[in-house]
Amino acid sequence: MRQPVHAYRLTDAAVRDHDDGMTATAVGRNVAAELTRHRLSHAQLAAAVNMSETQIGRRVRGEVEFTATEIRTVAIALGVPVAALLGEVRP
């Protein structure tokens, strides 16, 4: 069954194909800013989203891109909208 045209699902392909100049580094900076705002460490976020501290660190530094699923999971863990991590809104 096809989804209605207005339905939007955040998929890895959607994030990859969304060409607004958003880079892995920019998403990482936004995650880092939220970590600072919430006074959380990489280790605390890693535990909350079931990733290693190394995986979180590499993504926050922009060495590795967050997947759409990871962005959503991190947003939930931080209590912010996905758009905040994508730089579209300020929480």
Side-chain angles (χ1 to χ4, degrees), residues 37-65:
R37 191 168 78 86
H38 292 281
R39 294 187 172 141
L40 294 172
S41 68
H42 288 189
Q44 290 169 308
L45 178 61
V49 299
N50 199 27
M51 294 174 73
S52 72
E53 187 175 352
T54 299
Q55 288 173 308
I56 291 295
R58 292 187 71 206
R59 283 158 178 78
V60 168
R61 289 188 300 275
E63 295 171 6
V64 175
E65 291 184 0

Side-chain angles (χ1 to χ4, degrees), residues 34 37-38 74-81 91:
E34 289 302 321
R37 191 168 78 86
H38 292 281
V74 168
I76 291 168
L78 294 174
V80 299

